[in-house]
Protein backbone atom coordinates (compact mmCIF):
# COMPACT_ATOMS: atom_id res chain seq x y z
CA UNK A 1 0.00 0.00 0.00
CA UNK A 2 1.48 3.29 -1.11
CA UNK A 3 0.49 6.63 0.38
CA UNK A 4 1.66 9.92 -1.02
CA UNK A 5 1.09 13.32 0.55
CA UNK A 6 0.06 15.52 -2.38
CA UNK A 7 -0.65 18.60 -0.28
CA UNK A 8 0.37 19.09 3.34
CA UNK A 9 -1.03 22.56 3.91
CA UNK A 10 -4.40 23.62 5.27
CA UNK A 11 -6.87 25.74 3.30
CA UNK A 12 -5.10 28.74 1.75
CA UNK A 13 -1.83 26.88 1.12
CA UNK A 14 1.65 28.04 2.07
CA UNK A 15 2.31 30.81 1.35
CA UNK A 16 -1.28 32.00 1.21
CA UNK A 17 -1.83 34.50 -1.62
CA UNK A 18 -2.84 37.45 0.57
CA UNK A 19 -0.92 36.67 3.75
CA UNK A 20 2.14 38.49 5.05
CA UNK A 21 2.50 36.64 8.34
CA UNK A 22 6.07 35.79 9.36
CA UNK A 23 5.87 32.41 7.62
CA UNK A 24 4.21 33.48 4.36
CA UNK A 25 6.38 36.59 3.96
CA UNK A 26 9.48 34.64 4.99
CA UNK A 27 9.00 31.77 2.55
CA UNK A 28 8.20 34.24 -0.25
CA UNK A 29 11.40 36.23 0.39
CA UNK A 30 13.53 33.21 1.22
CA UNK A 31 14.37 34.59 4.66
CA UNK A 32 13.19 31.50 6.59
CA UNK A 33 13.98 27.83 6.10
CA UNK A 34 10.61 26.46 5.06
CA UNK A 35 9.12 24.66 2.04
CA UNK A 36 6.09 25.82 0.11
CA UNK A 37 3.09 23.54 0.47
CA UNK A 38 -0.11 22.94 -1.47
CA UNK A 39 -3.55 22.30 0.01
CA UNK A 40 -4.67 19.22 1.87
CA UNK A 41 -4.73 15.95 -0.08
CA UNK A 42 -3.22 12.46 -0.17
CA UNK A 43 -3.27 9.66 -2.73
CA UNK A 44 -3.40 5.96 -1.88
CA UNK A 45 -2.62 3.02 -4.15
CA UNK A 46 -2.45 -0.74 -3.81
CA UNK A 47 -0.65 -1.43 -7.09
CA UNK A 48 1.13 1.86 -7.82
CA UNK A 49 -1.02 2.36 -10.93
CA UNK A 50 -4.57 3.02 -9.73
CA UNK A 51 -4.85 5.76 -7.11
CA UNK A 52 -7.57 6.85 -4.73
CA UNK A 53 -7.45 10.64 -4.46
CA UNK A 54 -8.37 11.50 -0.89
CA UNK A 55 -9.59 15.09 -0.99
CA UNK A 56 -9.67 17.11 -4.20
CA UNK A 57 -7.84 20.28 -3.29
CA UNK A 58 -7.90 23.57 -5.20
CA UNK A 59 -4.27 22.70 -6.07
CA UNK A 60 -5.07 19.31 -7.59
CA UNK A 61 -3.77 20.21 -11.06
CA UNK A 62 -0.39 21.30 -9.66
CA UNK A 63 -0.37 18.16 -7.51
CA UNK A 64 -0.99 15.91 -10.52
CA UNK A 65 1.81 17.71 -12.37
CA UNK A 66 4.17 17.23 -9.40
CA UNK A 67 3.37 13.52 -9.04
CA UNK A 68 3.90 11.82 -12.44
CA UNK A 69 2.59 8.48 -11.13
CA UNK A 70 -0.88 10.06 -11.30
CA UNK A 71 -0.59 10.31 -15.11
CA UNK A 72 0.22 6.85 -16.54
CA UNK A 73 -0.39 8.06 -20.15
CA UNK A 74 -1.89 4.81 -21.46
CA UNK A 75 -4.23 6.51 -23.96
CA UNK A 76 -5.12 9.90 -25.40
CA UNK A 77 -7.10 10.95 -22.31
CA UNK A 78 -5.99 9.20 -19.12
CA UNK A 79 -5.45 9.51 -15.37
CA UNK A 80 -4.13 7.35 -12.58
CA UNK A 81 -6.92 8.69 -10.35
CA UNK A 82 -9.36 5.78 -10.32
CA UNK A 83 -11.64 7.14 -7.59
CA UNK A 84 -11.98 10.12 -5.25
CA UNK A 85 -13.00 10.26 -1.60
CA UNK A 86 -13.49 13.45 0.39
CA UNK A 87 -13.34 13.43 4.19
CA UNK A 88 -15.60 16.48 4.47
CA UNK A 89 -17.15 19.15 2.25
CA UNK A 90 -14.68 21.92 3.14
CA UNK A 91 -13.60 24.11 0.22
CA UNK A 92 -9.97 22.97 0.52
CA UNK A 93 -11.06 19.33 0.13
CA UNK A 94 -13.65 19.49 -2.67
CA UNK A 95 -12.93 22.45 -4.97
CA UNK A 96 -10.51 20.34 -7.02
CA UNK A 97 -13.51 18.32 -8.26
CA UNK A 98 -14.25 21.30 -10.53
CA UNK A 99 -10.76 20.99 -12.02
CA UNK A 100 -11.35 17.34 -12.92
CA UNK A 101 -14.49 18.02 -15.00
CA UNK A 102 -12.88 16.86 -18.27
CA UNK A 103 -12.85 13.25 -17.04
CA UNK A 104 -14.04 10.93 -19.82
CA UNK A 105 -16.57 9.09 -17.66
CA UNK A 106 -18.44 10.04 -14.46
CA UNK A 107 -15.98 10.54 -11.57
CA UNK A 108 -16.21 7.79 -9.00
CA UNK A 109 -16.80 9.73 -5.78
CA UNK A 110 -17.04 8.38 -2.22
CA UNK A 111 -18.58 10.66 0.42
CA UNK A 112 -20.85 10.38 3.42
CA UNK A 113 -24.49 11.41 2.96
CA UNK A 114 -23.87 14.56 5.05
CA UNK A 115 -21.04 15.66 2.75
CA UNK A 116 -22.97 14.82 -0.42
CA UNK A 117 -25.90 16.87 0.85
CA UNK A 118 -23.64 19.91 1.35
CA UNK A 119 -22.25 19.36 -2.16
CA UNK A 120 -25.79 19.37 -3.56
CA UNK A 121 -27.01 22.43 -1.60
CA UNK A 122 -24.66 24.94 0.09
CA UNK A 123 -21.83 24.42 -2.44
CA UNK A 124 -23.69 22.66 -5.27
CA UNK A 125 -20.79 21.29 -7.29
CA UNK A 126 -22.57 17.91 -7.28
CA UNK A 127 -25.43 18.96 -9.57
CA UNK A 128 -23.22 21.51 -11.36
CA UNK A 129 -20.77 18.86 -12.52
CA UNK A 130 -23.55 16.73 -13.98
CA UNK A 131 -23.33 19.10 -16.98
CA UNK A 132 -19.68 18.01 -17.33
CA UNK A 133 -18.46 14.50 -16.48
CA UNK A 134 -20.88 13.97 -13.59
CA UNK A 135 -20.40 11.58 -10.71
CA UNK A 136 -20.87 7.94 -9.95
CA UNK A 137 -21.44 8.64 -6.27
CA UNK A 138 -20.90 6.00 -3.61
CA UNK A 139 -22.16 6.47 -0.06
CA UNK A 140 -19.88 5.98 2.92
CA UNK A 141 -22.11 4.56 5.63
CA UNK A 142 -21.43 3.64 9.21
CA UNK A 143 -22.66 0.07 9.35
CA UNK A 144 -19.52 -1.34 10.94
CA UNK A 145 -18.43 -2.91 7.65
CA UNK A 146 -15.28 -1.91 5.79
CA UNK A 147 -15.25 0.00 2.53
CA UNK A 148 -13.68 -2.01 -0.30
CA UNK A 149 -12.86 -0.29 -3.57
CA UNK A 150 -12.06 -1.95 -6.91
CA UNK A 151 -9.39 0.73 -7.28
CA UNK A 152 -7.61 -0.48 -4.12
CA UNK A 153 -7.42 -4.28 -4.24
CA UNK A 154 -6.27 -5.76 -0.93
CA UNK A 155 -6.86 -2.53 0.95
CA UNK A 156 -9.66 -2.06 3.45
CA UNK A 157 -10.92 1.37 4.44
CA UNK A 158 -12.73 2.02 7.70
CA UNK A 159 -14.33 5.43 8.15
CA UNK A 160 -14.29 6.91 11.66
CA UNK A 161 -16.80 9.71 12.38
CA UNK A 162 -15.06 12.77 13.80
CA UNK A 163 -16.11 15.78 15.78
CA UNK A 164 -14.69 18.61 13.70
CA UNK A 165 -16.69 21.11 11.62
CA UNK A 166 -18.87 21.20 8.53
CA UNK A 167 -17.86 24.06 6.22
CA UNK A 168 -18.78 27.67 7.09
CA UNK A 169 -21.35 27.64 4.24
CA UNK A 170 -23.10 24.54 5.57
CA UNK A 171 -26.36 24.83 7.50
CA UNK A 172 -24.75 22.18 9.73
CA UNK A 173 -21.74 24.27 10.74
CA UNK A 174 -23.30 24.73 14.18
CA UNK A 175 -25.60 21.69 14.14
CA UNK A 176 -23.25 18.79 13.52
CA UNK A 177 -24.35 15.58 11.85
CA UNK A 178 -22.77 12.16 11.72
CA UNK A 179 -20.52 12.13 8.69
CA UNK A 180 -19.75 15.86 8.42
CA UNK A 181 -16.12 14.89 8.95
CA UNK A 182 -14.46 11.50 8.93
CA UNK A 183 -11.07 10.00 9.54
CA UNK A 184 -9.93 7.00 7.53
CA UNK A 185 -8.12 3.84 8.53
CA UNK A 186 -6.42 2.19 5.53
CA UNK A 187 -5.43 -1.42 6.15
CA UNK A 188 -3.18 -3.41 3.85
CA UNK A 189 -4.84 -6.80 4.29
CA UNK A 190 -1.69 -8.68 3.23
CA UNK A 191 0.80 -6.96 5.56
CA UNK A 192 -1.70 -5.99 8.26
CA UNK A 193 -0.16 -2.49 8.26
CA UNK A 194 -2.49 0.42 8.90
CA UNK A 195 -2.54 4.15 8.27
CA UNK A 196 -4.89 6.63 9.91
CA UNK A 197 -5.62 9.85 8.02
CA UNK A 198 -7.52 12.73 9.57
CA UNK A 199 -6.64 16.27 8.44
CA UNK A 200 -9.34 17.78 10.67
CA UNK A 201 -9.85 16.52 14.22
CA UNK A 202 -11.46 18.79 16.79
CA UNK A 203 -11.98 16.34 19.64
CA UNK A 204 -10.17 13.07 20.39
CA UNK A 205 -13.03 10.70 21.17
CA UNK A 206 -12.47 7.05 22.20
CA UNK A 207 -13.04 5.54 18.69
CA UNK A 208 -10.58 8.08 17.28
CA UNK A 209 -7.98 7.17 19.87
CA UNK A 210 -8.56 3.46 19.14
CA UNK A 211 -8.03 4.09 15.43
CA UNK A 212 -4.89 6.08 16.18
CA UNK A 213 -3.53 3.36 18.46
CA UNK A 214 -4.10 0.70 15.79
CA UNK A 215 -2.08 2.53 13.14
CA UNK A 216 1.52 2.21 11.99
CA UNK A 217 1.29 5.58 10.29
CA UNK A 218 -0.61 8.61 11.57
CA UNK A 219 -1.33 11.49 9.21
CA UNK A 220 -3.24 13.82 11.49
CA UNK A 221 -4.43 17.37 12.00
CA UNK A 222 -1.48 19.76 12.25
CA UNK A 223 -3.43 22.94 11.51
CA UNK A 224 -2.37 25.18 14.39
CA UNK A 225 0.22 25.26 17.12
CA UNK A 226 -1.91 27.27 19.56
CA UNK A 227 -5.66 27.64 19.88
CA UNK A 228 -5.47 31.46 19.56
CA UNK A 229 -2.84 31.54 16.80
CA UNK A 230 -4.95 33.51 14.32
CA UNK A 231 -6.28 35.85 17.03
CA UNK A 232 -2.77 36.68 18.29
CA UNK A 233 -1.63 37.51 14.77
CA UNK A 234 -4.66 39.77 14.33
CA UNK A 235 -5.85 37.71 11.34
CA UNK A 236 -9.17 36.24 12.46
CA UNK A 237 -11.19 36.24 15.68
CA UNK A 238 -11.51 32.47 15.63
CA UNK A 239 -9.90 29.79 17.74
CA UNK A 240 -8.52 26.63 16.14
CA UNK A 241 -11.00 24.57 18.17
CA UNK A 242 -13.90 26.70 16.90
CA UNK A 243 -12.82 25.69 13.41
CA UNK A 244 -12.71 22.01 14.36
CA UNK A 245 -8.95 21.72 14.78
CA UNK A 246 -7.15 20.56 17.92
CA UNK A 247 -3.98 22.62 18.39
CA UNK A 248 -0.66 20.87 18.97
CA UNK A 249 0.68 22.64 22.06
CA UNK A 250 -0.74 22.89 25.55
CA UNK A 251 -2.76 20.57 27.80
CA UNK A 252 -4.81 18.04 25.84
CA UNK A 253 -3.18 19.17 22.60
CA UNK A 254 -2.07 16.92 19.74
CA UNK A 255 1.45 16.50 21.15
CA UNK A 256 0.00 15.06 24.36
CA UNK A 257 -2.37 12.83 22.41
CA UNK A 258 0.44 11.53 20.21
CA UNK A 259 2.67 11.00 23.25
CA UNK A 260 0.07 8.55 24.57
CA UNK A 261 0.48 6.36 21.47
CA UNK A 262 3.34 3.99 22.02
CA UNK A 263 2.97 1.42 19.22
CA UNK A 264 6.39 0.13 18.16
CA UNK A 265 7.65 1.72 14.97
CA UNK A 266 4.67 4.07 14.60
CA UNK A 267 5.27 7.21 12.53
CA UNK A 268 3.47 10.32 13.69
CA UNK A 269 3.12 12.91 10.94
CA UNK A 270 1.24 16.21 10.97
CA UNK A 271 -0.64 17.31 7.84
CA UNK A 272 -3.12 20.11 7.00
CA UNK A 273 -0.69 22.67 8.41
CA UNK A 274 -1.92 26.24 8.43
CA UNK A 275 0.43 28.85 7.00
CA UNK A 276 0.60 30.65 10.36
CA UNK A 277 1.88 27.56 12.19
CA UNK A 278 5.46 28.04 13.47
CA UNK A 279 6.20 24.31 12.93
CA UNK A 280 6.61 25.17 9.23
CA UNK A 281 10.01 26.70 10.03
CA UNK A 282 12.45 23.80 9.57
CA UNK A 283 14.94 25.04 12.16
CA UNK A 284 12.51 26.70 14.61
CA UNK A 285 11.99 25.87 18.30
CA UNK A 286 8.50 24.44 17.75
CA UNK A 287 9.91 22.01 15.18
CA UNK A 288 12.56 20.99 17.66
CA UNK A 289 9.88 20.35 20.28
CA UNK A 290 8.00 18.10 17.83
CA UNK A 291 11.21 16.19 17.04
CA UNK A 292 11.78 15.61 20.74
CA UNK A 293 8.33 14.00 20.83
CA UNK A 294 9.01 11.87 17.72
CA UNK A 295 6.54 13.86 15.63
CA UNK A 296 7.26 14.67 11.97
CA UNK A 297 5.94 17.55 9.90
CA UNK A 298 4.41 16.42 6.62
CA UNK A 299 5.55 17.92 3.32
CA UNK A 300 4.36 17.72 -0.26
CA UNK A 301 5.69 14.58 -1.93
CA UNK A 302 6.22 12.69 1.35
CA UNK A 303 5.70 9.02 0.52
CA UNK A 304 5.05 5.87 2.54
CA UNK A 305 4.93 2.18 1.72
CA UNK A 306 3.03 0.05 4.19
C1 LIG B 1 -10.69 24.24 7.69
O1 LIG B 1 -10.02 23.21 7.65
O2 LIG B 1 -11.00 24.76 8.78
C2 LIG B 1 -11.16 24.84 6.42
O3 LIG B 1 -10.83 24.03 5.36
C3 LIG B 1 -10.63 26.21 6.22
C4 LIG B 1 -10.89 26.72 4.83
O4 LIG B 1 -10.52 26.07 3.84
O5 LIG B 1 -11.44 27.82 4.66
MN1 LIG C 1 -9.21 22.55 5.84
ZN1 LIG D 1 0.45 33.35 6.43
Amino acid sequence: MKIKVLGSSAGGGFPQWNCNCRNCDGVRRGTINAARRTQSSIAVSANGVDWLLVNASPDVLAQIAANPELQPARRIRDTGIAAILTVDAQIDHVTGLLMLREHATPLSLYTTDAVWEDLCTGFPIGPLLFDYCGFERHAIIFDGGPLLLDALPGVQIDAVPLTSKAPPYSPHRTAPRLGDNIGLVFTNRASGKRAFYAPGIGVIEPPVLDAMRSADLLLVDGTMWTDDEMIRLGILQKRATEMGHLPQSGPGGMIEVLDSIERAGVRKVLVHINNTNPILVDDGPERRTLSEHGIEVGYDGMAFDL
Side-chain angles (χ1 to χ4, degrees):
M1 179 169 69
K2 294 178 188 306
I3 299 184
K4 199 142 187 214
V5 176
L6 304 183
S8 51
S9 165
F14 177 51
Q16 181 175 307
W17 68 282
N18 63 344
C19 190
N20 291 300
C21 74
R22 182 176 173 271
N23 285 349
C24 289
D25 185 61
V27 77
R28 228 177 258 127
R29 292 176 194 268
T31 54
I32 58 168
N33 290 316
R36 289 170 178 262
R37 284 166 168 83
T38 62
Q39 296 169 75
S40 182
S41 175
I42 65 167
V44 183
S45 181
N47 56 16
V49 179
D50 303 303
W51 292 83
L52 173 68
L53 180 71
V54 186
N55 296 325
S57 108
D59 299 319
V60 68
L61 298 182
Q63 292 167 344
I64 292 169
N67 294 276
E69 57 271 58
L70 297 179
Q71 180 47 272
R74 295 162 293 197
R75 56 188 84 88
I76 182 80
R77 290 280 167 93
D78 199 14
T79 178
I81 299 170
I84 305 167
L85 186 159
T86 79
V87 299
D88 55 34
Q90 294 271 8
I91 284 179
D92 57 346
H93 289 156
V94 303
T95 308
L97 294 171
L98 294 169
M99 272 77 238
L100 304 178
R101 65 191 176 284
E102 298 92 353
H103 197 252
T105 56
L107 290 166
S108 179
L109 177 68
Y110 291 78
T111 68
T112 63
D113 289 340
V115 166
W116 183 244
E117 200 187 305
D118 277 349
L119 296 182
C120 290
T121 55
F123 185 26
I125 57 181
L128 189 152
L129 277 172
F130 275 103
D131 286 320
Y132 298 85
C133 59
F135 292 107
E136 182 190 304
R137 191 249 160 179
H138 308 270
I140 299 173
I141 50 170
F142 303 100
D143 62 351
L147 189 62
L148 301 169
L149 276 59
D150 289 344
L152 291 181
V155 172
Q156 162 177 336
I157 304 176
D158 291 276
V160 183
L162 298 178
T163 295
S164 183
K165 280 282 189 239
Y169 70 76
S170 169
H172 304 278
R173 176 79 168 178
T174 52
R177 288 170 303 180
L178 180 75
D180 281 334
N181 308 82
I182 55 173
L184 301 167
V185 179
F186 294 93
T187 307
N188 176 340
R189 288 181 153 184
S191 69
K193 296 278 186 194
R194 287 198 182 90
F196 178 67
Y197 174 62
I201 312 180
V203 184
I204 306 288
E205 290 152 323
V208 180
L209 201 54
D210 287 348
M212 290 174 83
R213 288 200 173 120
S214 78
D216 303 283
L217 168 65
L218 296 164
L219 293 168
V220 292
D221 193 334
T223 310
M224 287 182 210
W225 180 252
T226 47
D227 198 27
D228 61 353
E229 192 165 306
M230 305 277 263
I231 299 172
R232 268 203 252 177
L233 288 169
I235 290 174
L236 200 66
Q237 283 304 313
K238 265 188 197 165
R239 296 187 165 270
T241 42
E242 281 174 67
M243 293 187 274
H245 299 294
L246 181 74
Q248 285 106 58
S249 62
M254 189 60 86
I255 295 175
E256 252 187 47
V257 174
L258 292 175
D259 274 348
S260 76
I261 294 166
E262 291 166 339
R263 191 179 174 86
V266 65
R267 284 184 72 181
K268 305 170 180 178
V269 181
L270 299 175
V271 291
H272 193 275
I273 304 156
N274 197 58
N275 58 75
T276 52
N277 193 327
I279 65 172
L280 287 168
V281 181
D282 293 337
D283 47 6
E286 294 82 4
R287 181 71 71 87
R288 213 168 311 122
T289 301
L290 290 182
S291 299
E292 285 160 14
H293 288 266
I295 301 169
E296 301 173 66
V297 175
Y299 55 85
D300 293 14
M302 196 175 197
F304 308 91
D305 209 335
L306 293 168

